[in-house]
């Protein structure tokens, strides 16, 4: 059974700090990795996708992928109170496969 | 920005009623999905479709049914609503083979009294 594991949190960081969100997955043939942000009562919105080992940066967000360790992370630099949300990690095996979502990590950024 | 729409956004209905939740996308995506999510809880995939005339059941057993007669339209129907169906229903779409990125609609919050 494919599994995606995330610490449920909450992860509390002060404004301006770096928030580090982690995710592990069980299926070694996974090819595509995603981070979604979900505000309370809203639908998930895509933050980043990553497909190759290493780092991928987009503004204040950096996704890191290590397929050997089956580990993907999301770093948020200069965290803002508006970043307070639940962050969902999602993994796909490609082709016609569906996404497997983790349960999400709640991030709280205090002013 | 994804163009995927859901109606109604909120629905309060009595037990036993038949309801249809609408989902439409204008991106020409082949794949569409329905998720169910209770407040503060994880997403559960209940139905998905690879394209027209294709429907599959997801990981979570659901009493709902879906149809895919047109590429852009993927409605979800509950024949007889019950209080246990109270939840948020999220529709998503993605491209065809190899297109993994899913884009979500705004959701329908359903309350069954």
């Amino acid at each position: 059974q494919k599994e995606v594991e995330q610490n449920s949190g909450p992860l509390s960081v002060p404004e301006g700090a770096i928030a580090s969100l982690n995710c592990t997955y069980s299926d070694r043939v996974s090819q595509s990795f995603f981070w979604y942000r979900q505000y309370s009562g809203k639908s998930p919105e895509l933050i980043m996708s990553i497909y190759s080992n290493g780092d991928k940066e987009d503004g204040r967000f950096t996704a890191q992928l290590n397929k050997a360790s089956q580990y993907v992370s999301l770093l948020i630099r200069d965290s803002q109170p508006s970043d307070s949300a639940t962050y969902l990690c999602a993994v796909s095996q490609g082709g016609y496969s569906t996404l497997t979502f983790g349960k999400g990590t709640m991030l709280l950024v205090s002013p | 920005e994804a163009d995927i729409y859901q109606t109604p956004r909120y629905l309060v209905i009595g037990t036993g009623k038949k309801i249809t939740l609408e989902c439409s996308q204008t991106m020409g995506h082949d794949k569409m999905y329905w998720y169910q999510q209770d407040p503060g809880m994880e997403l559960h995939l209940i139905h998905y479709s690879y394209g027209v005339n294709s429907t599959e059941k997801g990981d979570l057993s659901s009493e709902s049914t879906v149809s895919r007669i047109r590429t852009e339209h993927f409605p979800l129907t509950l024949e007889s609503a019950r209080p246990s169906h109270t939840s948020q229903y999220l529709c998503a779409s993605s491209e065809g083979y190899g297109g993994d990125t899913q884009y979500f609609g705004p959701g329908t919050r359903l309350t069954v009294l």
Side-chain angles (χ1 to χ4, degrees):
Chain A
Q1 185 175 353
K2 305 170 219 173
E3 292 184 347
V4 176
E5 300 287 342
Q6 296 182 255
N7 189 318
S8 62
L11 173 65
S12 296
V13 300
E15 183 175 358
I18 295 175
S20 177
L21 304 162
N22 305 314
C23 172
T24 59
Y25 59 95
S26 62
D27 194 335
R28 286 196 167 272
V29 302
S30 298
Q31 297 183 14
S32 308
F33 307 86
F34 305 87
W35 284 100
Y36 285 82
R37 177 175 62 198
Q38 187 175 26
Y39 292 113
S40 180
K42 303 295 186 182
S43 61
E45 56 181 324
L46 180 71
I47 297 176
M48 292 187 70
S49 58
I50 186 167
Y51 302 93
S52 303
N53 280 329
D55 294 359
K56 179 181 178 182
E57 185 175 320
D58 183 0
R60 295 186 296 114
F61 299 96
T62 299
Q64 299 174 318
L65 175 61
N66 184 326
K67 291 187 178 180
S69 300
Q70 296 178 235
Y71 176 91
V72 58
S73 65
L74 179 70
L75 300 178
I76 306 174
R77 290 182 300 281
D78 189 24
S79 295
Q80 300 297 308
S82 59
D83 294 326
S84 297
T86 295
Y87 289 80
L88 304 173
C89 174
V91 174
S92 170
Q93 288 67 47
Y96 280 117
S97 64
T98 59
L99 287 183
T100 301
F101 282 88
K103 295 182 179 181
T105 297
M106 181 182 294
L107 173 66
L108 298 175
V109 182
S110 54
Chain B
E1 187 172 328
D3 295 321
I4 181 164
Y5 308 97
Q6 292 186 242
T7 57
R9 294 290 311 279
Y10 303 91
L11 179 62
V12 180
I13 200 163
T15 297
K17 299 292 186 182
K18 178 180 179 178
I19 60 171
T20 297
L21 307 184
E22 302 287 351
C23 177
S24 295
Q25 49 95 7
T26 60
M27 298 169 285
H29 285 171
D30 287 331
K31 294 189 283 188
M32 296 188 75
Y33 313 82
W34 277 103
Y35 291 88
Q36 184 175 343
Q37 186 180 37
D38 293 330
M41 304 299 286
E42 63 191 292
L43 285 168
H44 290 288
L45 179 66
I46 52 175
H47 297 283
Y48 59 102
S49 167
Y50 293 125
V52 172
N53 295 325
S54 155
T55 60
E56 305 286 341
K57 290 188 181 296
D59 305 322
L60 181 69
S61 175
S62 173
E63 295 168 342
S64 58
T65 59
V66 293
S67 63
R68 189 89 182 275
I69 299 173
R70 303 198 316 264
T71 298
E72 64 273 18
H73 194 214
F74 191 41
L76 180 145
T77 298
L78 279 166
E79 291 292 333
S80 180
R82 294 207 297 267
S84 61
H85 296 140
T86 294
S87 189
Q88 170 144 288
Y89 293 84
L90 294 162
C91 181
S93 72
S94 66
E95 294 179 357
Y97 185 87
D100 302 301
T101 306
Q102 291 186 19
Y103 300 95
F104 284 82
T108 294
R109 185 165 298 281
L110 172 66
T111 302
V112 184
L113 303 176

